[in-house]
Amino acid sequence: MDIADPNYIDSGELREQDRVPLDEYLADSDRAGPDSLRGRPFFSGREAEVSTFRRMVNAIALGRKSNATIAVEGPPGAGKSALLCQFLEELRALPPIGSPPRRWLPVLVDGAEAMRPAAIVDAVDGAIITRLAEDAVRSEREVDRSRFAECLAEFLGQESVQEAKIFAESVLDRGVSVFGLNVGAKMGEPHPNVLRDVPRSRSPRWKDWQIMLMIDEAQSISAEDANADRALLSTLHQGVLPLNMTFCAFGLPGTFDALADAGVSRLLADAAIDLRGLDDESAAKVVDRCFAQYGLVDDGTWRDAILARSCNWPQHLSAHLTAALKTVQARAGRGHDLGAPPDCLAQALESGDRLRSKYYNARLRTLTRTGQNHLECARHLLPMLRGEGGNAPESAIHDALGAPPLRLSAAASHAFLKAAKHSGLLTPGELPGTVHLAIPTFAGHVLGEAPEPLPEPARASAP
């Protein structure tokens, strides 16, 4: 029997993860990280992606670890972090599996460390200790320190009871994050540096957990590090490592290639997720959820304007919603019901445009960091791409860059294309070997075009 419904449907209704106080939402904006292990407010759509994740956890529950892996690749702002957080939200709702039962344990890992056994061990040990501490806090109105010390002693090994008690007091008083690495290692135990050491040293201690590595910035995965184990991710992917551990990888374009270089080359078709913008219906649900949560009454004018301005791009939706809420809150006064939007739509859209422009400038720094002439290359190519409807073969890009007036070498041309994908200016197209202008407004920003005209400010209604 499935432990999760494999057919995820976004009903559009508000959920628990959406019920965030306005000041808290505005403070986090779109930079809220996955460290809370909760879903992002107003997450919408992505039915196929969430359903894929649910099918994966169902397979794990049945003991089918082979190919229980998901990889998500997409340009900046496409919603990778939001999807990662939603996967964490899904894990929170899952019941334990197996006999004896194993609890699900998401563990956040940076892609640069994803092939280092010692780094994985540190991350998992730290996550387990954090969960044990959280259990102790939740078990009573006051912290059950003795119970936490017992659990920690069992985790570390009975010969470490005294050390565990001292460590337990420090964790509860100061938090686990201040202790850095090796928080779960027994005194004097050698740290595992190769893959074969991990099951021998950690299987008994990790037996109560079903571990899911959530690898962020996965495009930086590399087997070239001196401390990397080339077999680590491939053996997890194939299910041959005797540990209750699988992984999901999230990264910029190039993630699939990085995983293939690390031996993860046989992803199932629907487990290799190429993330794009939202569809029209999902984008509308984002705005509707946000307005419903904060009581912003709208006849459709604000909703339609924000959707048109955002081009269904998740980062832009977040920026324009943040700008709209800040503008209306400033007019209504802090602590008051937002009520119907006053006559400040143009002001809100202009504020959102500034946030969007700031985002584009950051992406352009990514584009030009690897080559001073990359901005010139982009401006040369964008009119051609627009003429082709935003799509073009990569071979046509290289031909245009190698011809006068630019005359780029093949190496420089490939470097530009890689940087353009990492900045979000271009994304892989629907067909192999093609590229696409995913965000039309990004092209206009690069070309220095004036933003879309703002609507005329509405007159304030008479009292």
Side-chain angles (χ1 to χ4, degrees):
M1 180 178 178
D2 292 338
I3 63 170
D5 183 353
N7 301 308
Y8 171 69
I9 298 175
D10 180 5
S11 67
E13 298 297 320
L14 284 171
R15 299 151 302 183
E16 187 60 33
Q17 69 196 64
D18 300 325
R19 303 190 185 283
V20 177
L22 178 58
D23 288 344
E24 183 178 328
Y25 174 75
L26 293 178
D28 285 342
S29 188
D30 69 330
R31 296 295 89 194
D35 51 316
S36 66
L37 306 184
R38 294 299 304 264
R40 291 271 184 90
F42 319 126
F43 177 86
S44 185
R46 308 302 193 199
E47 281 96 341
E49 292 82 359
V50 175
S51 295
T52 296
F53 181 78
R54 290 182 175 186
R55 287 193 294 273
M56 183 187 74
V57 300
N58 287 335
I60 293 171
L62 292 174
R64 300 170 184 167
K65 292 198 298 180
S66 180
N67 286 319
T69 303
I70 288 178
V72 180
E73 178 181 290
K80 296 184 298 298
S81 294
L83 186 60
L84 188 159
C85 289
Q86 192 61 27
F87 286 178
L88 294 174
E89 183 75 15
E90 292 284 317
L91 286 175
R92 291 180 67 255
L94 293 176
I97 60 172
S99 181
R102 302 188 304 275
R103 298 164 63 192
W104 294 87
L105 182 77
V107 179
L108 297 173
V109 180
D110 187 84
E113 298 184 324
M115 296 185 69
R116 301 176 190 170
I120 299 298
V121 167
D122 285 336
V124 174
D125 284 349
I128 291 174
I129 291 176
T130 300
R131 285 286 289 275
L132 293 176
E134 290 172 351
D135 291 345
V137 172
R138 284 198 297 263
S139 63
E140 303 281 348
R141 287 192 174 184
E142 295 184 358
V143 177
D144 190 343
R145 293 174 178 265
S146 60
R147 175 58 184 155
F148 176 51
E150 291 173 5
C151 292
L152 193 57
E154 181 181 357
F155 174 66
L156 296 175
Q158 290 302 319
E159 66 271 24
S160 303
V161 173
Q162 189 57 40
E163 291 91 337
K165 288 182 178 179
I166 297 172
F167 187 56
E169 290 294 320
S170 298
V171 169
L172 294 176
D173 288 339
R174 300 172 59 197
V176 70
S177 62
V178 301
F179 293 94
L181 301 178
N182 300 325
V183 290
K186 288 191 289 187
M187 191 70 68
E189 180 182 274
H191 216 51
N193 291 313
V194 293
L195 186 61
R196 65 176 179 270
D197 294 335
V198 179
R200 182 174 65 243
S201 65
R202 285 314 194 268
S203 286
R205 277 195 245 164
W206 293 353
K207 67 182 186 322
D208 297 330
W209 306 93
Q210 180 62 49
I211 301 163
M212 181 79 71
L213 299 180
M214 311 299 284
I215 304 174
D216 201 10
E217 302 296 339
Q219 76 281 352
S220 60
I221 288 172
S222 173
E224 304 304 318
D225 190 311
N227 295 313
D229 192 306
R230 291 177 175 272
L232 199 157
L233 293 183
S234 62
T235 51
L236 286 178
H237 170 61
Q238 295 171 38
V240 298
L241 194 64
L243 290 169
N244 300 317
M245 181 186 292
T246 50
F247 71 89
C248 299
F250 299 78
L252 293 170
T255 292
F256 298 153
D257 293 337
L259 287 169
D261 292 343
V264 184
S265 56
R266 292 189 295 171
L267 284 169
L268 297 178
D270 66 348
I273 298 170
D274 188 5
L275 212 59
R276 308 296 178 94
L278 296 170
D279 57 44
D280 291 343
E281 182 181 359
S282 298
K285 287 177 181 176
V286 174
V287 180
D288 290 343
R289 278 191 173 111
C290 184
F291 282 13
Q293 168 63 12
Y294 299 123
L296 200 153
V297 181
D298 175 39
D299 62 2
T301 303
W302 282 58
R303 177 181 185 262
D304 293 345
I306 288 173
L307 290 173
R309 219 72 175 178
S310 302
C311 304
N312 291 1
W313 201 246
Q315 191 279 338
H316 295 354
L317 275 168
S318 177
H320 280 90
L321 284 172
T322 297
L325 291 169
K326 285 184 175 179
T327 302
V328 175
Q329 185 192 57
R331 183 68 64 90
R334 187 176 296 273
H336 291 79
D337 184 9
L338 297 183
D343 55 336
C344 52
L345 174 57
Q347 178 187 347
L349 293 178
E350 187 175 17
S351 177
D353 286 349
R354 286 196 296 270
L355 290 174
R356 189 178 66 181
S357 179
K358 184 178 179 181
Y359 169 81
Y360 286 150
N361 287 335
R363 301 274 65 83
L364 284 177
R365 285 196 293 274
T366 302
L367 178 67
T368 58
R369 186 171 53 197
T370 53
Q372 292 299 316
N373 61 344
H374 280 186
L375 187 57
E376 181 183 357
C377 293
R379 289 172 175 160
H380 179 72
L381 289 172
L382 288 176
M384 179 193 80
L385 280 164
R386 280 179 165 177
E388 298 294 330
N391 298 284
E394 291 188 6
S395 58
I397 299 292
H398 295 309
D399 289 344
L401 294 176
L406 296 176
R407 303 180 187 276
L408 259 62
S409 67
S413 177
H414 281 88
F416 165 79
L417 197 56
K418 180 179 180 180
K421 291 177 181 177
H422 277 223
S423 72
L425 179 65
L426 301 176
T427 61
E430 295 289 343
L431 298 176
T434 64
V435 292
H436 174 63
L437 282 174
I439 323 173
T441 48
F442 197 173
H445 184 82
V446 172
L447 294 171
E449 297 172 349
E452 311 91 286
L454 295 168
E456 290 293 328
R459 292 184 178 181
S461 57

